[in-house]
Every structure is written in structure tokens, then in C-alpha cells.
């Protein structure tokens, strides 16, 4: 599934408060940093989490995508997509109590989820002509042991030298989150039947460090 993207040149970060985050959500999903070591988060299944169960004071250590704000039984909640796959939480999602700085979501500036690098925009346009071979940094556990969900730059660095080639098949959107859809060479037992998803706009796994090439029959 391919989709049209609007490339935002004036990329910016959002102020570290929930009011600013709520206002910015009107433009689309936001990537936020949270404290994810709390048992209430790691083993979340349903309902919502408050700062009582997920500290507002602990340093953040995990990136998630904030999709929107909802209300349930009068409680204002942040609706979030995690990167751990549909087997986690409520089909890959979680709800955090708003105006509570639950899991310390205001610790770092949230950012737009969009293509912000010219190089990624170029790769996206080239995909219209067919698959593209790219080089990535494949040593992180997040890639080596990938099963489902999507990989972010926090789990697969964009600063390390690339060491593995994969085929970029296309771009997909899940819950409004733009993702690269790649085919690996490890066989169908790896990842999602041999495939993986990387978050766009972040140079995830260093995919921009080397020039991409068309995959064609010579």
C-alpha cells in the first residue's frame, strides 16, 4: 500500500507540556519519549495507565507514537501506538491518563512523525519505479530479533556504519504512522515472513549513509 506524503520543510519540536502536545496533534501523529520500565506499561493489556503506576519522574527510555486524545468514562486519555507489535497491549496500543505527565511524556520534546530529510524524500520518489536496495546497520537486537511492529531510531542507530543490504519494497501507513516496508535476506522465519518495518523520517538503521540503488534485471 503506497500513499501520498506532504513533506514538511520547516520541521520543529513541540514544547514540553501536554497542552502544546494536544494542540500539535491536529497536524498528525507525534513521536514521544516515555518511561517504559514500569510493570504497568510493560505488561499492559487494557484500561489506562496513570502516573501512580508509571512514574512522571523517571528518565524516559523508549519511543512511541502518540496518535490522538480520547475520552473514556469521563477520563481524558492519550492514545498511543507502541512498536512492540500487535501481541502487546491492546493490539499494539496503550492509553495513558492525560494532564498527569504519565510515564513522563513531557520529559523530552515530542516531534512530528513525517519525512524531514531530503534523502528519504528522494528514496520515496524512486520507489515509484520499483524496489530499491539499501544498506543498513543490522547489528542491534531490535533488528536481529525483530518479530513484529516497527523499529525506531532509538532501537537501531543512524550513526553506526552500515553492514547489511536489504530491499526496500515500499512505504505503508499504520495508524497514520509512515513506515518503510523492507524485505530481508534471512528467510521467512525472520521478522514478519522475512519482512520488517522501519519508521520513516529518522534515517532508522542508518539507511541514508550509503546510496540506494534500483533493483532491476540487467
Amino acid at each position: 500500500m503506497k500513499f501520498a506524503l506532504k513533506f514538511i520543510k520547516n520541521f520543529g519540536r513541540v514544547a514540553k507540556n501536554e497542552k502544546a502536545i494536544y494542540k500539535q496533534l491536529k497536524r498528525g501523529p507525534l513521536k514521544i519519549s516515555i518511561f517504559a520500565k514500569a510493570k504497568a506499561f510493560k505488561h499492559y493489556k487494557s484500561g489506562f495507565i496513570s502516573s501512580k503506576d508509571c512514574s512522571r519522574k523517571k528518565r524516559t527510555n523508549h519511543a512511541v507514537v502518540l496518535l490522538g486524545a480520547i475520552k473514556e468514562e469521563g477520563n481524558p486519555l492519550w492514545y498511543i501506538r507502541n512498536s512492540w507489535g500487535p501481541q502487546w497491549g491492546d493490539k499494539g496500543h496503550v492509553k495513558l491518563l492525560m494532564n498527569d505527565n504519565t510515564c513522563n511524556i513531557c520529559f523530552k520534546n515530542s516531534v512530528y512523525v513525517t519525512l524531514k530529510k531530503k534523502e528519504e524524500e528522494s528514496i520515496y520518489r524512486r520507489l515509484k519505479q520499483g524496489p530499491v536496495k539499501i544498506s543498513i546497520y543490522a547489528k542491534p537486537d531490535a533488528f536481529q530479533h525483530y518479530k513484529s511492529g516497527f523499529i525506531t531510531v532509538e532501537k537501531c542507530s543512524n550513526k553506526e556504519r552500515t553492514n547489511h543490504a536489504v530491499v526496500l519494497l515500499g512505504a505503508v501507513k499504520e495508524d497514520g504512522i509512515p513506515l518503510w516496508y523492507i524485505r530481508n535476506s534471512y528467510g521467512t522465519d525472520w521478522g514478519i515472513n522475512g519482512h520488517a518495518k522501519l519508521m520513516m523520517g529518522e534515517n532508522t538503521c542508518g539507511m541514508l549513509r550509503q546510496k540506494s540503488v534500483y533493483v532491476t534485471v540487467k
Side-chain angles (χ1 to χ4, degrees):
M1 177 179 64
K2 293 188 177 181
F3 59 96
L5 286 176
K6 293 182 179 179
F7 300 104
I8 299 176
K9 294 182 179 179
N10 296 321
F11 173 79
R13 296 179 181 273
V14 183
K16 299 178 184 180
N17 65 76
E18 294 193 55
K19 185 176 181 180
I21 291 172
Y22 179 77
K23 183 178 180 180
Q24 189 59 46
L25 269 176
K26 295 177 182 179
R27 296 185 64 178
L30 299 172
K31 192 180 81 168
I32 59 174
S33 181
I34 65 168
F35 172 64
K37 289 185 177 180
K39 289 183 179 179
F41 185 87
K42 292 174 71 174
H43 304 295
Y44 174 82
K45 293 294 182 184
S46 61
F48 65 87
I49 302 173
S50 70
S51 63
K52 180 181 178 181
D53 300 308
C54 191
S55 177
R56 65 176 69 149
K57 297 180 180 180
K58 297 284 187 178
R59 188 176 183 86
T60 60
N61 64 334
H62 181 59
V64 295
V65 178
L66 178 59
L67 301 177
I70 61 175
K71 262 194 176 183
E72 288 188 353
E73 298 181 355
N75 296 305
L77 307 171
W78 295 120
Y79 188 58
I80 288 170
R81 168 75 182 269
N82 199 3
S83 59
W84 294 347
Q87 73 280 359
W88 178 87
D90 183 3
K91 297 181 180 178
H93 300 78
V94 62
K95 300 164 195 165
L96 306 183
L97 187 63
M98 292 175 65
N99 305 317
D100 194 36
N101 194 23
T102 305
C103 300
N104 205 4
I105 70 169
C106 296
F107 180 75
K108 290 184 178 181
N109 296 99
S110 53
V111 296
Y112 303 119
V113 179
T114 182
L115 291 189
K116 61 180 183 289
K117 293 182 178 294
K118 290 182 179 179
E119 294 90 344
E120 286 199 51
E121 179 179 346
S122 175
I123 292 174
Y124 176 76
R125 298 192 190 287
R126 291 181 70 179
L127 276 172
K128 295 178 181 179
Q129 299 180 45
V132 176
K133 188 177 80 169
I134 59 173
S135 181
I136 64 169
Y137 174 56
K139 288 185 178 181
D141 288 343
F143 186 86
Q144 288 292 321
H145 305 295
Y146 174 81
K147 293 293 183 184
S148 61
F150 57 90
I151 302 172
T152 65
V153 71
E154 286 80 9
K155 301 297 182 182
C156 194
S157 176
N158 59 13
K159 297 179 181 180
E160 300 292 338
R161 189 178 183 86
T162 60
N163 64 337
H164 181 61
V166 296
V167 178
L168 179 59
L169 299 178
V172 299
K173 251 188 179 180
E174 293 184 357
D175 290 328
I177 306 166
L179 305 169
W180 294 119
Y181 187 60
I182 66 171
R183 171 72 181 269
N184 199 3
S185 58
Y186 293 171
T188 55
D189 290 336
W190 179 88
I192 307 171
N193 295 322
H195 300 78
K197 299 167 197 166
L198 309 181
M199 183 173 279
M200 296 172 74
E202 299 189 320
N203 187 21
T204 305
C205 299
M207 59 177 284
L208 300 178
R209 291 182 67 88
Q210 293 189 30
K211 289 185 177 180
S212 57
V213 296
Y214 296 117
V215 179
T216 59
V217 178
K218 295 182 179 180

